[in-house]
Amino acid sequence: TYQIFAPSQSILQRWLREKHDIHCQVIPLSDPTETFIRQYAAQINSPKFEDEEWNPENDFHATYEEALEDCLITALNVI
């Protein structure tokens, strides 16, 4: 039996922040007329992304976890 260890999303998010100055955050979005969240968007803040063409404005996700996963994968691909 093989064991494969992988970091959790929160550990990866912290590593990206501390080692590479890449900040991934998830923004909950809702309709101004409604009181509940309809979707989530991911945002990356880092000097490394100033020249990158990653535009999350049209990239919405149904869950927080999906948005964070997209953000983390995108950040990893830049390193």
Side-chain angles (χ1 to χ4, degrees):
T1 304
Y2 294 101
Q3 288 186 333
I4 299 173
F5 296 97
S8 66
Q9 287 181 330
S10 60
I11 291 172
L12 176 56
Q13 188 176 17
R14 182 177 179 183
W15 179 78
L16 286 167
R17 186 174 56 249
E18 292 177 355
K19 299 293 183 188
H20 297 282
D21 194 26
I22 296 175
H23 301 264
C24 292
Q25 68 183 67
V26 177
I27 303 164
L29 304 170
S30 62
D31 188 303
T33 62
E34 299 173 352
T35 58
F36 58 92
I37 297 168
R38 285 208 170 263
Q39 54 192 351
Y40 298 85
Q43 181 178 12
I44 295 177
N45 296 314
S46 173
K48 296 179 181 186
F49 276 83
E50 290 177 356
D51 297 327
E52 293 295 318
E53 292 189 20
W54 185 64
N55 185 3
E57 290 183 18
N58 297 321
D59 193 15
F60 302 114
H61 302 277
T63 67
Y64 176 94
E65 291 79 14
E66 289 174 4
L68 182 57
E69 185 81 11
D70 182 39
C71 191
L72 294 172
I73 290 170
T74 301
L76 284 173
N77 286 330
V78 170
I79 295 176

